[in-house]
Amino acid sequence: MALELPSLPYDYDALAPYMSRETLEFHHDKHHQAYVTNGNKALEGSALEGKSLEEICKAAYADKNAALINNVGQHYNHLHFWNWMKKGGGGTKLPGALAKAVDSDLGGYDKFRADFINAGTTQFGSGWAWLAVKGGKLEVMKTANGENPLMHGASPILGCDVWEHSYYIDYRNARPKYLEAFVDSLINWDYVAEMYEKAV
Ligand code: MN3
């Protein structure tokens, strides 16, 4: 089945002022669409056509297939990225089991917040900051370009896009400010908890 661009799970104005309509229009309608279009081109006639996105991400990385890593990887990342945000999200509203794991595996919410923002800030060039499950435990990670934790033996449960197209319209070069707004005001913790339940 060909890759498809899903609609945003909210209105284009829903995440303002933390993420503007203009950013979402470019990011979703242009950038994500391009990953879908180019991912389909790269998959056409390949042995991975019809496999799950998770399988394609892992196999593409093992095969060092840059077109698939970048485009199908980014399709997977963005599918979840839209759902990792919501109006009125962010802060310490973590569902119970996840809050417990953040305490035991990451040293508590405040340390998670600092480490996640630091991962995104120190990712040189384009990439992602992640909260992932590896070996049954939570881990803060960062990856370059279109890569994701699936390609590094882990299951992503939260990711923040730190490509400039995700923040330059709203924050210019202030990537740390964007990461703070993402963590404090945008994270959809219910969706993160759903992915956590599936990953452990
Ligand atoms: Mn992006």
Side-chain angles (χ1 to χ4, degrees):
M1 204 178 74
L3 311 179
E4 279 177 32
L5 182 71
S7 301
L8 285 178
Y10 32 71
D11 186 81
Y12 286 89
D13 291 315
L15 304 183
Y18 307 107
M19 190 175 283
S20 64
R21 163 182 281 271
E22 190 183 0
T23 291
L24 285 171
E25 283 176 347
F26 274 96
H27 198 175
H28 174 271
D29 302 0
K30 308 288 184 199
H31 291 276
H32 190 173
Q33 179 64 63
Y35 298 131
V36 168
T37 303
N38 293 322
N40 280 326
K41 278 185 201 154
L43 279 170
E44 210 177 280
S46 92
L48 293 171
E49 205 175 1
K51 300 276 189 201
S52 74
L53 287 176
E54 288 82 355
E55 286 174 300
I56 297 170
C57 284
K58 291 176 197 172
Y61 191 74
D63 294 346
K64 299 189 170 59
N65 183 326
L68 288 179
I69 293 170
N70 290 327
N71 291 295
V72 181
Q74 284 289 67
H75 176 53
Y76 174 90
N77 298 346
H78 286 81
L79 277 181
H80 293 292
F81 182 59
W82 311 129
N83 286 290
W84 279 322
M85 300 184 286
K86 70 171 190 181
K87 186 183 184 67
T92 56
K93 292 163 269 191
L94 285 67
L98 183 59
K100 248 187 201 167
V102 166
D103 284 344
S104 60
D105 298 346
L106 299 177
Y109 176 82
D110 291 345
K111 187 164 187 314
F112 151 74
R113 181 184 181 279
D115 289 349
F116 187 84
I117 290 169
N118 186 55
T121 302
T122 57
Q123 171 55 44
F124 185 76
S126 297
W128 292 75
W130 301 101
L131 178 58
V133 176
K134 191 169 190 176
K137 288 195 169 227
L138 291 176
E139 207 174 287
V140 173
M141 305 173 66
K142 59 184 174 183
T143 58
N145 301 318
E147 289 177 25
N148 61 46
L150 293 171
M151 303 174 187
H152 298 277
S155 303
I157 64 168
L158 171 67
C160 184
D161 187 341
V162 299
W163 286 57
E164 285 187 347
H165 65 224
S166 195
Y167 63 88
Y168 216 84
I169 290 170
D170 299 320
Y171 300 89
R172 296 301 167 191
N173 61 325
R175 191 191 285 186
K177 287 266 171 257
Y178 156 67
L179 282 153
E180 286 169 15
F182 179 86
V183 174
D184 295 340
S185 305
L186 289 177
I187 294 176
N188 179 356
W189 282 115
D190 294 327
Y191 190 71
V192 179
E194 253 178 62
M195 290 193 81
Y196 175 68
E197 297 301 328
K198 287 180 202 153
V200 288

PDB file of all heavy atoms in Angstrom, residues 95-123:
ATOM      1  N   PRO A  95       0.413  10.515  32.366  1.00  0.00           N
ATOM      2  CA  PRO A  95      -0.360   9.425  32.974  1.00  0.00           C
ATOM      3  C   PRO A  95       0.522   8.583  33.895  1.00  0.00           C
ATOM      4  O   PRO A  95       1.741   8.500  33.706  1.00  0.00           O
ATOM      5  CB  PRO A  95      -0.824   8.615  31.765  1.00  0.00           C
ATOM      6  CG  PRO A  95      -0.794   9.583  30.619  1.00  0.00           C
ATOM      7  CD  PRO A  95       0.362  10.503  30.913  1.00  0.00           C
ATOM      8  N   GLY A  96      -0.104   7.944  34.906  1.00  0.00           N
ATOM      9  CA  GLY A  96       0.590   7.308  36.018  1.00  0.00           C
ATOM     10  C   GLY A  96       1.768   6.404  35.700  1.00  0.00           C
ATOM     11  O   GLY A  96       2.869   6.607  36.229  1.00  0.00           O
ATOM     12  N   ALA A  97       1.564   5.392  34.834  1.00  0.00           N
ATOM     13  CA  ALA A  97       2.632   4.414  34.578  1.00  0.00           C
ATOM     14  C   ALA A  97       3.827   5.087  33.927  1.00  0.00           C
ATOM     15  O   ALA A  97       4.990   4.767  34.228  1.00  0.00           O
ATOM     16  CB  ALA A  97       2.109   3.289  33.688  1.00  0.00           C
ATOM     17  N   LEU A  98       3.545   6.038  33.055  1.00  0.00           N
ATOM     18  CA  LEU A  98       4.625   6.752  32.367  1.00  0.00           C
ATOM     19  C   LEU A  98       5.379   7.656  33.347  1.00  0.00           C
ATOM     20  O   LEU A  98       6.612   7.721  33.326  1.00  0.00           O
ATOM     21  CB  LEU A  98       4.032   7.561  31.207  1.00  0.00           C
ATOM     22  CG  LEU A  98       5.014   8.312  30.327  1.00  0.00           C
ATOM     23  CD1 LEU A  98       6.024   7.367  29.683  1.00  0.00           C
ATOM     24  CD2 LEU A  98       4.259   9.084  29.238  1.00  0.00           C
ATOM     25  N   ALA A  99       4.630   8.342  34.220  1.00  0.00           N
ATOM     26  CA  ALA A  99       5.262   9.210  35.218  1.00  0.00           C
ATOM     27  C   ALA A  99       6.197   8.389  36.108  1.00  0.00           C
ATOM     28  O   ALA A  99       7.311   8.829  36.439  1.00  0.00           O
ATOM     29  CB  ALA A  99       4.192   9.898  36.065  1.00  0.00           C
ATOM     30  N   LYS A 100       5.756   7.201  36.482  1.00  0.00           N
ATOM     31  CA  LYS A 100       6.576   6.310  37.314  1.00  0.00           C
ATOM     32  C   LYS A 100       7.871   5.941  36.607  1.00  0.00           C
ATOM     33  O   LYS A 100       8.954   5.920  37.198  1.00  0.00           O
ATOM     34  CB  LYS A 100       5.782   5.024  37.605  1.00  0.00           C
ATOM     35  CG  LYS A 100       5.394   4.877  39.052  1.00  0.00           C
ATOM     36  CD  LYS A 100       4.777   3.518  39.281  1.00  0.00           C
ATOM     37  CE  LYS A 100       3.954   3.600  40.563  1.00  0.00           C
ATOM     38  NZ  LYS A 100       3.072   2.452  40.707  1.00  0.00           N
ATOM     39  N   ALA A 101       7.747   5.596  35.308  1.00  0.00           N
ATOM     40  CA  ALA A 101       8.927   5.188  34.531  1.00  0.00           C
ATOM     41  C   ALA A 101       9.890   6.369  34.352  1.00  0.00           C
ATOM     42  O   ALA A 101      11.108   6.185  34.367  1.00  0.00           O
ATOM     43  CB  ALA A 101       8.491   4.633  33.175  1.00  0.00           C
ATOM     44  N   VAL A 102       9.341   7.572  34.172  1.00  0.00           N
ATOM     45  CA  VAL A 102      10.197   8.764  34.050  1.00  0.00           C
ATOM     46  C   VAL A 102      10.978   8.956  35.355  1.00  0.00           C
ATOM     47  O   VAL A 102      12.171   9.269  35.347  1.00  0.00           O
ATOM     48  CB  VAL A 102       9.357  10.021  33.698  1.00  0.00           C
ATOM     49  CG1 VAL A 102      10.162  11.296  33.909  1.00  0.00           C
ATOM     50  CG2 VAL A 102       8.862   9.937  32.248  1.00  0.00           C
ATOM     51  N   ASP A 103      10.312   8.711  36.484  1.00  0.00           N
ATOM     52  CA  ASP A 103      10.999   8.814  37.782  1.00  0.00           C
ATOM     53  C   ASP A 103      12.100   7.763  37.918  1.00  0.00           C
ATOM     54  O   ASP A 103      13.233   8.078  38.272  1.00  0.00           O
ATOM     55  CB  ASP A 103       9.993   8.641  38.931  1.00  0.00           C
ATOM     56  CG  ASP A 103       9.152   9.896  39.145  1.00  0.00           C
ATOM     57  OD1 ASP A 103       9.541  10.963  38.627  1.00  0.00           O
ATOM     58  OD2 ASP A 103       8.101   9.798  39.800  1.00  0.00           O
ATOM     59  N   SER A 104      11.759   6.503  37.616  1.00  0.00           N
ATOM     60  CA  SER A 104      12.722   5.433  37.901  1.00  0.00           C
ATOM     61  C   SER A 104      13.824   5.338  36.849  1.00  0.00           C
ATOM     62  O   SER A 104      14.966   5.032  37.167  1.00  0.00           O
ATOM     63  CB  SER A 104      12.005   4.088  38.044  1.00  0.00           C
ATOM     64  OG  SER A 104      11.329   3.778  36.853  1.00  0.00           O
ATOM     65  N   ASP A 105      13.500   5.628  35.570  1.00  0.00           N
ATOM     66  CA  ASP A 105      14.491   5.436  34.500  1.00  0.00           C
ATOM     67  C   ASP A 105      15.267   6.713  34.165  1.00  0.00           C
ATOM     68  O   ASP A 105      16.393   6.649  33.673  1.00  0.00           O
ATOM     69  CB  ASP A 105      13.819   4.948  33.209  1.00  0.00           C
ATOM     70  CG  ASP A 105      13.144   3.591  33.371  1.00  0.00           C
ATOM     71  OD1 ASP A 105      13.419   2.918  34.381  1.00  0.00           O
ATOM     72  OD2 ASP A 105      12.348   3.220  32.484  1.00  0.00           O
ATOM     73  N   LEU A 106      14.638   7.868  34.386  1.00  0.00           N
ATOM     74  CA  LEU A 106      15.252   9.118  33.900  1.00  0.00           C
ATOM     75  C   LEU A 106      15.574  10.108  35.012  1.00  0.00           C
ATOM     76  O   LEU A 106      16.016  11.220  34.734  1.00  0.00           O
ATOM     77  CB  LEU A 106      14.322   9.794  32.879  1.00  0.00           C
ATOM     78  CG  LEU A 106      13.995   8.988  31.603  1.00  0.00           C
ATOM     79  CD1 LEU A 106      13.014   9.758  30.736  1.00  0.00           C
ATOM     80  CD2 LEU A 106      15.263   8.674  30.805  1.00  0.00           C
ATOM     81  N   GLY A 107      15.316   9.722  36.256  1.00  0.00           N
ATOM     82  CA  GLY A 107      15.639  10.623  37.367  1.00  0.00           C
ATOM     83  C   GLY A 107      14.619  11.717  37.594  1.00  0.00           C
ATOM     84  O   GLY A 107      14.944  12.756  38.173  1.00  0.00           O
ATOM     85  N   GLY A 108      13.388  11.499  37.099  1.00  0.00           N
ATOM     86  CA  GLY A 108      12.310  12.452  37.373  1.00  0.00           C
ATOM     87  C   GLY A 108      12.020  13.389  36.213  1.00  0.00           C
ATOM     88  O   GLY A 108      12.811  13.511  35.266  1.00  0.00           O
ATOM     89  N   TYR A 109      10.865  14.063  36.308  1.00  0.00           N
ATOM     90  CA  TYR A 109      10.399  14.921  35.205  1.00  0.00           C
ATOM     91  C   TYR A 109      11.375  16.057  34.890  1.00  0.00           C
ATOM     92  O   TYR A 109      11.671  16.323  33.728  1.00  0.00           O
ATOM     93  CB  TYR A 109       9.006  15.499  35.521  1.00  0.00           C
ATOM     94  CG  TYR A 109       8.559  16.453  34.440  1.00  0.00           C
ATOM     95  CD1 TYR A 109       7.979  15.976  33.269  1.00  0.00           C
ATOM     96  CD2 TYR A 109       8.790  17.824  34.559  1.00  0.00           C
ATOM     97  CE1 TYR A 109       7.617  16.838  32.250  1.00  0.00           C
ATOM     98  CE2 TYR A 109       8.435  18.693  33.537  1.00  0.00           C
ATOM     99  CZ  TYR A 109       7.851  18.205  32.384  1.00  0.00           C
ATOM    100  OH  TYR A 109       7.513  19.056  31.376  1.00  0.00           O
ATOM    101  N   ASP A 110      11.882  16.728  35.924  1.00  0.00           N
ATOM    102  CA  ASP A 110      12.741  17.894  35.673  1.00  0.00           C
ATOM    103  C   ASP A 110      14.015  17.497  34.937  1.00  0.00           C
ATOM    104  O   ASP A 110      14.484  18.217  34.051  1.00  0.00           O
ATOM    105  CB  ASP A 110      13.104  18.596  36.989  1.00  0.00           C
ATOM    106  CG  ASP A 110      11.902  19.281  37.620  1.00  0.00           C
ATOM    107  OD1 ASP A 110      10.881  19.459  36.910  1.00  0.00           O
ATOM    108  OD2 ASP A 110      11.965  19.616  38.824  1.00  0.00           O
ATOM    109  N   LYS A 111      14.553  16.330  35.296  1.00  0.00           N
ATOM    110  CA  LYS A 111      15.768  15.869  34.611  1.00  0.00           C
ATOM    111  C   LYS A 111      15.427  15.451  33.180  1.00  0.00           C
ATOM    112  O   LYS A 111      16.179  15.734  32.251  1.00  0.00           O
ATOM    113  CB  LYS A 111      16.433  14.724  35.378  1.00  0.00           C
ATOM    114  CG  LYS A 111      17.781  14.362  34.777  1.00  0.00           C
ATOM    115  CD  LYS A 111      18.639  13.528  35.698  1.00  0.00           C
ATOM    116  CE  LYS A 111      20.048  13.337  35.128  1.00  0.00           C
ATOM    117  NZ  LYS A 111      20.105  12.966  33.714  1.00  0.00           N
ATOM    118  N   PHE A 112      14.276  14.773  33.003  1.00  0.00           N
ATOM    119  CA  PHE A 112      13.832  14.438  31.636  1.00  0.00           C
ATOM    120  C   PHE A 112      13.732  15.713  30.791  1.00  0.00           C
ATOM    121  O   PHE A 112      14.236  15.771  29.673  1.00  0.00           O
ATOM    122  CB  PHE A 112      12.464  13.732  31.641  1.00  0.00           C
ATOM    123  CG  PHE A 112      11.690  13.987  30.374  1.00  0.00           C
ATOM    124  CD1 PHE A 112      12.047  13.357  29.183  1.00  0.00           C
ATOM    125  CD2 PHE A 112      10.644  14.913  30.349  1.00  0.00           C
ATOM    126  CE1 PHE A 112      11.381  13.649  27.995  1.00  0.00           C
ATOM    127  CE2 PHE A 112       9.981  15.208  29.158  1.00  0.00           C
ATOM    128  CZ  PHE A 112      10.342  14.579  27.979  1.00  0.00           C
ATOM    129  N   ARG A 113      13.060  16.744  31.349  1.00  0.00           N
ATOM    130  CA  ARG A 113      12.846  17.988  30.599  1.00  0.00           C
ATOM    131  C   ARG A 113      14.187  18.592  30.160  1.00  0.00           C
ATOM    132  O   ARG A 113      14.373  18.962  29.003  1.00  0.00           O
ATOM    133  CB  ARG A 113      12.058  18.992  31.454  1.00  0.00           C
ATOM    134  CG  ARG A 113      11.758  20.304  30.754  1.00  0.00           C
ATOM    135  CD  ARG A 113      11.062  21.288  31.701  1.00  0.00           C
ATOM    136  NE  ARG A 113      10.758  22.545  31.038  1.00  0.00           N
ATOM    137  CZ  ARG A 113      11.629  23.540  30.845  1.00  0.00           C
ATOM    138  NH1 ARG A 113      12.872  23.408  31.285  1.00  0.00           N
ATOM    139  NH2 ARG A 113      11.270  24.651  30.214  1.00  0.00           N
ATOM    140  N   ALA A 114      15.123  18.669  31.102  1.00  0.00           N
ATOM    141  CA  ALA A 114      16.434  19.256  30.794  1.00  0.00           C
ATOM    142  C   ALA A 114      17.183  18.405  29.773  1.00  0.00           C
ATOM    143  O   ALA A 114      17.778  18.936  28.820  1.00  0.00           O
ATOM    144  CB  ALA A 114      17.244  19.397  32.078  1.00  0.00           C
ATOM    145  N   ASP A 115      17.141  17.076  29.938  1.00  0.00           N
ATOM    146  CA  ASP A 115      17.892  16.190  29.035  1.00  0.00           C
ATOM    147  C   ASP A 115      17.298  16.189  27.626  1.00  0.00           C
ATOM    148  O   ASP A 115      18.025  16.128  26.631  1.00  0.00           O
ATOM    149  CB  ASP A 115      17.908  14.758  29.590  1.00  0.00           C
ATOM    150  CG  ASP A 115      18.801  14.633  30.824  1.00  0.00           C
ATOM    151  OD1 ASP A 115      19.551  15.598  31.114  1.00  0.00           O
ATOM    152  OD2 ASP A 115      18.746  13.586  31.501  1.00  0.00           O
ATOM    153  N   PHE A 116      15.961  16.237  27.538  1.00  0.00           N
ATOM    154  CA  PHE A 116      15.293  16.218  26.233  1.00  0.00           C
ATOM    155  C   PHE A 116      15.597  17.516  25.474  1.00  0.00           C
ATOM    156  O   PHE A 116      15.944  17.487  24.291  1.00  0.00           O
ATOM    157  CB  PHE A 116      13.782  16.047  26.446  1.00  0.00           C
ATOM    158  CG  PHE A 116      12.995  15.837  25.181  1.00  0.00           C
ATOM    159  CD1 PHE A 116      12.870  14.563  24.623  1.00  0.00           C
ATOM    160  CD2 PHE A 116      12.357  16.903  24.557  1.00  0.00           C
ATOM    161  CE1 PHE A 116      12.131  14.370  23.462  1.00  0.00           C
ATOM    162  CE2 PHE A 116      11.618  16.710  23.391  1.00  0.00           C
ATOM    163  CZ  PHE A 116      11.498  15.442  22.850  1.00  0.00           C
ATOM    164  N   ILE A 117      15.500  18.653  26.171  1.00  0.00           N
ATOM    165  CA  ILE A 117      15.791  19.942  25.544  1.00  0.00           C
ATOM    166  C   ILE A 117      17.263  19.991  25.141  1.00  0.00           C
ATOM    167  O   ILE A 117      17.617  20.459  24.052  1.00  0.00           O
ATOM    168  CB  ILE A 117      15.411  21.102  26.491  1.00  0.00           C
ATOM    169  CG1 ILE A 117      13.882  21.176  26.609  1.00  0.00           C
ATOM    170  CG2 ILE A 117      15.997  22.437  26.011  1.00  0.00           C
ATOM    171  CD1 ILE A 117      13.375  22.101  27.714  1.00  0.00           C
ATOM    172  N   ASN A 118      18.127  19.442  25.986  1.00  0.00           N
ATOM    173  CA  ASN A 118      19.558  19.416  25.664  1.00  0.00           C
ATOM    174  C   ASN A 118      19.849  18.532  24.446  1.00  0.00           C
ATOM    175  O   ASN A 118      20.661  18.889  23.592  1.00  0.00           O
ATOM    176  CB  ASN A 118      20.353  18.927  26.879  1.00  0.00           C
ATOM    177  CG  ASN A 118      21.852  19.019  26.646  1.00  0.00           C
ATOM    178  OD1 ASN A 118      22.371  20.083  26.315  1.00  0.00           O
ATOM    179  ND2 ASN A 118      22.539  17.891  26.762  1.00  0.00           N
ATOM    180  N   ALA A 119      19.153  17.396  24.349  1.00  0.00           N
ATOM    181  CA  ALA A 119      19.356  16.502  23.192  1.00  0.00           C
ATOM    182  C   ALA A 119      18.993  17.234  21.909  1.00  0.00           C
ATOM    183  O   ALA A 119      19.724  17.174  20.909  1.00  0.00           O
ATOM    184  CB  ALA A 119      18.518  15.230  23.350  1.00  0.00           C
ATOM    185  N   GLY A 120      17.877  17.943  21.913  1.00  0.00           N
ATOM    186  CA  GLY A 120      17.445  18.664  20.718  1.00  0.00           C
ATOM    187  C   GLY A 120      18.344  19.839  20.386  1.00  0.00           C
ATOM    188  O   GLY A 120      18.612  20.135  19.216  1.00  0.00           O
ATOM    189  N   THR A 121      18.832  20.495  21.422  1.00  0.00           N
ATOM    190  CA  THR A 121      19.693  21.662  21.222  1.00  0.00           C
ATOM    191  C   THR A 121      21.053  21.252  20.673  1.00  0.00           C
ATOM    192  O   THR A 121      21.645  21.947  19.853  1.00  0.00           O
ATOM    193  CB  THR A 121      19.880  22.414  22.558  1.00  0.00           C
ATOM    194  OG1 THR A 121      18.590  22.785  23.051  1.00  0.00           O
ATOM    195  CG2 THR A 121      20.721  23.664  22.400  1.00  0.00           C
ATOM    196  N   THR A 122      21.565  20.107  21.135  1.00  0.00           N
ATOM    197  CA  THR A 122      22.918  19.689  20.761  1.00  0.00           C
ATOM    198  C   THR A 122      22.953  18.789  19.529  1.00  0.00           C
ATOM    199  O   THR A 122      24.035  18.381  19.109  1.00  0.00           O
ATOM    200  CB  THR A 122      23.614  18.958  21.924  1.00  0.00           C
ATOM    201  OG1 THR A 122      22.803  17.832  22.310  1.00  0.00           O
ATOM    202  CG2 THR A 122      23.808  19.889  23.124  1.00  0.00           C
ATOM    203  N   GLN A 123      21.776  18.452  18.954  1.00  0.00           N
ATOM    204  CA  GLN A 123      21.773  17.711  17.690  1.00  0.00           C
ATOM    205  C   GLN A 123      22.320  18.657  16.616  1.00  0.00           C
ATOM    206  O   GLN A 123      21.657  19.632  16.271  1.00  0.00           O
ATOM    207  CB  GLN A 123      20.349  17.235  17.347  1.00  0.00           C
ATOM    208  CG  GLN A 123      20.206  16.652  15.947  1.00  0.00           C
ATOM    209  CD  GLN A 123      21.180  15.523  15.675  1.00  0.00           C
ATOM    210  OE1 GLN A 123      21.373  14.644  16.515  1.00  0.00           O
ATOM    211  NE2 GLN A 123      21.820  15.556  14.526  1.00  0.00           N
TER     212      GLN A 123
END
